[in-house]
Amino acid sequence: MTDIREAQFIARNSAGKLTQRPVSPHLGIYRWPITMVSSILNRIAGVALCIGSLLLVCWLSAAASSNNTYTAVQSFVASPLGLLAMFGWTAALYYHLFAGIRHLAWDLGKGFAIPSLNLISWIVIGLTGAFTILTWIIGYAALES
Amino acid sequence: MTTPAPKTTVMPKVTMMRSQLGRALGSGSAHSGAAHWWAERVSAVLLVPLTLWFIFAMVSLLGAKQQEVANYIAVPLHAGMFLALIALTFHHGAMGLQVVFEDYVHALARRQIYILTVKFLALVLGLTAAASVIKLAALGH
């Protein structure tokens, strides 16, 4: 076995015996195209948003509980860790939003040509970056005024 | 390392492994058919404007005091938007996580436990958030 990829061909067949054959897909073999990156990022963003929704529940229920609890949640959000979480949440929210709209376009049968897939992947990533940064600039401006 | 195909005198017979009813219902490997797919899309479409509104609302509530949050949610439209956002977010999220588990967790019993746990958590957390919104709406003016 001279090629590391051959090791990945080892699997069990339906009889439970070891066999060596190409098994697809082995992510380690591919040089990641942007479509692959943008696809898995959408799933990661979705899972991140599910975790982020816990913070929304905390924030709302704290506001509905007592002033002390609410102040505690607010001070967590304003802490470096809280700000990092909020920044990640903003980015995940925009990413899942734009990538989701892309999915809805696919559902209508649009945009399956390879060049447009590559382009739209970059557009989704670009829009996420731009909207995330813009939202935070507006947020900080709103806090200052 | 190929094994020769077993010699056989029987003619290969291709059998449709799905019943006609199964084909008509459109159920796939998850046995739930197209309903899940549709519910994901419909909630996604509704979540587009709700999410944009949510970001706008959160930015305008930055650094707000408890009473200010209550006053904001006391506006009936704001409360309605929050409740719709909460319902659809937890519905959509639970469905999304279900697909993730169906893709990556192969042990059926464990997969089912994960899916049901997520659905239960989504229900409780969603209702908690909704109850908070309703209480805040009553606290505000």
Side-chain angles (χ1 to χ4, degrees), chain A residues 20 40 43 47 50 53-54 56-57 59-61 63-64 66-67 70 74 93-94 97 104 107 135 139 143, chain B residues 1 37 41 45 48 51-52 54-55 58 62 64-66 69 90 93 97 99-100 103-104 125 132 135-136:
Chain A
Q20 193 181 22
I40 195 62
R43 179 161 275 192
V47 173
C50 287
S53 69
L54 296 176
L56 176 67
V57 177
W59 183 74
L60 279 172
S61 55
S66 72
N67 209 5
Y70 180 73
Q74 284 291 75
L93 201 56
Y94 277 126
L97 179 72
L104 293 171
D107 293 338
T135 304
L143 271 185
Chain B
M1 290 193 69
W37 187 90
R41 309 299 136 153
V45 170
V48 170
T51 301
L52 291 171
F54 174 67
I55 295 169
M58 283 298 108
L62 274 177
K65 293 187 169 49
Q66 188 193 21
V69 177
F90 282 95
L97 287 178
V99 177
V100 172
D103 283 353
Y104 303 138
L125 291 170
S132 305
K135 190 182 170 190
L136 278 166

Side-chain angles (χ1 to χ4, degrees), chain A residues 19-31:
Chain A
T19 164
Q20 193 181 22
R21 51 162 166 68
V23 187
S24 182
H26 266 307
L27 299 181
I29 283 176
Y30 298 106
R31 187 188 301 136

Side-chain angles (χ1 to χ4, degrees), chain A residues 81-101:
Chain A
L81 186 65
L83 285 176
L84 186 69
M86 296 304 288
F87 190 82
W89 196 15
T90 318
L93 201 56
Y94 277 126
Y95 191 87
H96 206 69
L97 179 72
F98 294 129
I101 293 172

Side-chain angles (χ1 to χ4, degrees), chain A residues 83-141:
Chain A
L83 285 176
L84 186 69
M86 296 304 288
F87 190 82
W89 196 15
T90 318
L93 201 56
Y94 277 126
Y95 191 87
H96 206 69
L97 179 72
F98 294 129
I101 293 172
R102 179 178 73 149
H103 255 286
L104 293 171
W106 285 338
D107 293 338
L108 297 173
K110 309 240 183 273
F112 282 112
I114 302 285
S116 59
L117 284 174
N118 289 332
L119 180 66
I120 200 75
S121 298
W122 282 112
I123 289 176
V124 166
I125 292 169
L127 281 176
T128 303
F131 272 73
T132 305
I133 292 168
L134 195 68
T135 304
W136 277 69
I137 290 174
I138 293 171
Y140 267 105

Side-chain angles (χ1 to χ4, degrees), chain B residues 23-74:
Chain B
R23 287 184 65 201
L25 291 173
S27 294
S29 58
H31 307 290
S32 59
H36 185 278
W37 187 90
W38 261 114
E40 252 187 350
R41 309 299 136 153
V42 172
S43 56
V45 170
L46 293 170
L47 277 168
V48 170
L50 284 171
T51 301
L52 291 171
W53 170 82
F54 174 67
I55 295 169
F56 175 78
M58 283 298 108
V59 168
S60 50
L61 280 174
L62 274 177
K65 293 187 169 49
Q66 188 193 21
Q67 188 59 47
E68 291 168 336
V69 177
N71 292 348
Y72 185 84
I73 292 181

